[in-house]
């Protein structure tokens, strides 16, 4: 993978571009992709954002989101765009398998694949150009850095500001995770000086849910959470029936995994959701417990040091058993609490 700075000289020559991100995009994946989109179209490029799957409706307010193509829904059109592209920007994922059904189309395309990402252990051999920096708060921050590195920061408009702010804010847990470096606050200061209305973005992202979702959360906290004090760990398990009962949509379960971390002394929180076709897991930790390694070792996943995910095709009960075994194998690391 060559440095991303090598593409800067070609930025002003119009091309066919595809911008994509990991499946079930979160605020950072969608925000970084749309932020980059609003930047690149200003050079006359023919750019399309394609998401590998559908996404949470609380992202729909983002400028440009309604024009994003869902690969699963519009596969033929997406395949044609991917095959015809000169450049494909791959944002907020480290391995092509994170694009699910889109992976083969990405591999087949003759386009140059360009990576912008902050996850650990990137699959660098499949990208022609790119930047991987695991110290960065978010891919959205990296898109902002790329805009500055290319020297056209005068092109940062309100659409770009909104998308980048949403990505940085969601991936830093509203500026509370250790990844919230001084550069993050400088970025926010810059966007505010440019006129960004940040409280509107917080409302758009966090105050747009259904009454059902709140009742669902009440049920989860009351009936679906188990705390293992011996391991400083808490686990939420959600059977598929709950998803039907409360009419839970994509995105409605996002952030749930963080609730148990507010219990004193809890060092790791996990959630296992039975999504029918698979059991999806999320892991969050505080301090020195590495959930990236944990997710890789036991749940075919990965992510960051303090936030990772994985999945399993096994039944829910087996995944729960596997989780309990995994925490007992990590008892030493989990029982010593250190920041
Ligand atoms: P979440 O738990 O919010 O889905 O994801 C937390 C972090 O772990 C994100 O950075 C996400 O990209 C990563 N992640 C989530 N699920 C998986 C997975 O199945 N495989 C890998 N490699 N990373 C994942
Ligand atoms: Mn991210």
């Amino acid at each position: 993978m060559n440095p991303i700075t090598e593409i800067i000289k070609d930025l002003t020559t119009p091309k066919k571009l595809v911008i994509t991100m990991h499946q079930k995009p979160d605020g950072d994946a969608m925000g970084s992709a749309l932020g980059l989109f609003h930047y690149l179209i200003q050079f006359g490029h023919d750019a399309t954002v394609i998401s590998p799957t559908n996404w949470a409706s609380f992202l729909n307010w983002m400028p440009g989101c309604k024009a994003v193509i869902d690969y699963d829904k519009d596969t033929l059109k997406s395949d044609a765009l991917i095959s015809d592209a000169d450049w494909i920007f791959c944002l907020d994922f480290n391995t092509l398998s994170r694009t699910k059904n889109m992976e083969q189309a990405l591999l087949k395309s003759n386009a140059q694949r360009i990576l912008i990402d902050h996850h650990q252990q990137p699959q660098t051999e499949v990208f022609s150009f790119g930047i991987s920096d695991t110290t960065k708060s978010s891919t959205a921050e990296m898109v902002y850095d790329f805009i500055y590195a290319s020297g056209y920061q005068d092109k940062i408009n309100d659409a770009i500001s909104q998308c980048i702010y949403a990505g940085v804010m969601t991936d830093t847990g509203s500026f509370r995770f250790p990844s919230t470096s001084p550069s993050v606050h400088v970025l926010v200061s810059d966007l505010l000086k440019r006129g960004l209305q940040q409280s509107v973005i917080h409302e758009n992202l966090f105050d747009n849910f259904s009454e059902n979702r709140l009742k669902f959360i009440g049920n989860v906290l009351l009936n679906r959470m188990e705390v293992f004090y011996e391991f400083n760990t808490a686990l939420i398990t959600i059977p598929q029936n709950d998803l039907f009962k409360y009419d839970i949509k994509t995105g409605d379960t996002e952030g749930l995994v963080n609730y148990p971390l507010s219990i004193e002394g809890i060092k790791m929180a996990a959630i296992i959701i039975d999504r029918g076709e698979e059991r999806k897991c999320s892991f969050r930790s505080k301090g020195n417990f590495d959930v990236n390694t944990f997710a890789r070792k036991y749940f075919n996943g990965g992510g960051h040091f303090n936030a990772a995910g994985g999945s399993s095709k096994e039944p829910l009960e087996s995944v729960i058993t596997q989780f309990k075994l995994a925490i007992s194998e990590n008892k030493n690391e989990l029982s010593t609490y250190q920041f």
Side-chain angles (χ1 to χ4, degrees):
M1 185 170 87
N2 296 305
I4 195 163
T5 43
E6 288 183 17
I7 70 162
I8 290 171
K9 61 180 186 320
D10 297 323
L11 216 50
T12 50
T13 313
K15 292 182 195 20
K16 289 187 200 131
L17 311 181
V18 165
I19 303 171
T20 190
M21 67 305 249
H22 62 76
Q23 62 131 351
K24 301 277 175 191
D26 56 9
D28 186 36
M30 189 61 92
S32 58
L34 287 171
L36 185 65
F37 169 83
H38 290 294
Y39 177 59
L40 294 174
I41 56 171
Q42 295 181 55
F43 296 97
H45 298 296
D46 179 3
T48 311
V49 180
I50 305 177
S51 167
T53 62
N54 66 348
W55 56 88
S57 58
F58 64 74
L59 300 175
N60 284 341
W61 62 271
M62 282 190 191
C65 195
K66 293 212 171 71
V68 173
I69 298 179
D70 173 350
Y71 183 83
D72 277 344
K73 271 202 205 128
D74 256 323
T75 309
L76 285 180
K77 186 176 172 190
S78 304
D79 278 344
L81 287 163
I82 292 168
S83 156
D84 273 359
D86 302 308
W87 284 352
I88 301 177
F89 285 89
C90 296
L91 268 52
D92 204 37
F93 63 83
N94 50 357
T95 64
L96 290 182
S97 62
R98 296 280 289 135
T99 64
K100 268 213 156 158
N101 299 332
M102 229 170 102
E103 179 176 9
Q104 289 310 315
L106 291 176
L107 276 170
K108 268 193 253 154
S109 170
N110 289 323
Q112 311 262 27
R113 288 182 292 267
I114 303 165
L115 176 75
I116 305 181
D117 179 54
H118 66 140
H119 292 87
Q120 309 208 359
Q121 291 134 302
Q123 191 185 11
T124 48
E125 66 279 8
V126 299
F127 299 101
S128 315
F129 302 96
I131 180 157
S132 157
D133 186 347
T134 58
T135 69
K136 283 288 168 184
S137 66
S138 52
T139 302
E141 183 188 356
M142 298 174 77
V143 166
Y144 172 88
D145 290 347
F146 175 67
I147 294 174
Y148 267 83
S150 57
Y152 297 100
Q153 57 269 25
D154 53 311
K155 293 195 186 293
I156 297 179
N157 54 24
D158 200 44
I160 296 176
S161 287
Q162 290 181 38
C163 295
I164 286 182
Y165 182 87
V168 177
M169 188 261 280
T170 51
D171 252 28
T172 56
S174 303
F175 311 107
R176 63 169 284 188
F177 298 151
S179 59
T180 314
S181 61
S183 65
V184 167
H185 289 289
V186 171
L187 172 157
V188 173
S189 165
D190 179 25
L191 299 185
L192 291 177
K193 280 187 212 149
R194 291 171 186 270
L196 175 77
Q197 289 193 287
Q198 91 278 26
S199 51
V200 177
I201 296 176
H202 286 255
E203 276 176 35
N204 284 337
L205 283 167
F206 300 125
D207 300 342
N208 259 329
F209 292 106
S210 64
E211 181 186 336
N212 258 3
R213 178 180 176 265
L214 221 58
K215 290 185 170 154
F216 167 71
I217 294 174
N219 175 56
V220 165
L221 298 181
L222 197 60
N223 301 313
R224 304 284 181 244
M225 185 177 72
E226 200 177 346
V227 183
F228 308 96
Y229 286 103
E230 194 188 349
F231 305 107
N232 294 325
T233 294
L235 171 67
I236 291 173
T237 51
I238 302 186
Q240 204 184 6
N241 260 352
D242 280 8
L243 304 180
F244 297 137
K245 186 173 168 194
Y246 292 93
D247 193 25
I248 292 305
K249 303 267 187 329
T250 299
D252 281 347
T253 53
E254 198 158 312
L256 265 185
V257 64
N258 294 309
Y259 281 85
L261 282 181
S262 65
I263 302 171
E264 186 182 6
I266 292 300
K267 185 167 186 173
M268 171 163 71
I271 189 168
I272 307 170
I273 304 174
D274 189 350
R275 294 212 177 274
E277 76 274 19
E278 64 178 11
R279 265 47 63 204
K280 189 76 193 98
C281 313
S282 288
F283 309 102
R284 298 291 185 272
S285 68
K286 284 186 186 167
N288 66 344
F289 189 74
D290 176 7
V291 286
N292 170 48
T293 303
F294 184 85
R296 271 172 199 275
K297 186 166 173 194
Y298 299 101
F299 297 96
N300 189 33
H304 309 285
F305 194 93
N306 293 123
S311 61
S312 171
K313 295 284 181 200
E314 299 296 316
L316 184 61
E317 282 311 317
S318 314
V319 187
I320 296 170
T321 307
Q322 163 80 347
F323 178 77
K324 289 181 183 167
L325 189 72
I327 55 173
S328 64
E329 282 184 23
N330 284 269
K331 186 172 181 196
N332 282 347
E333 293 77 11
L334 286 165
S335 53
T336 51
Y337 195 86
Q338 250 176 33
F339 277 101

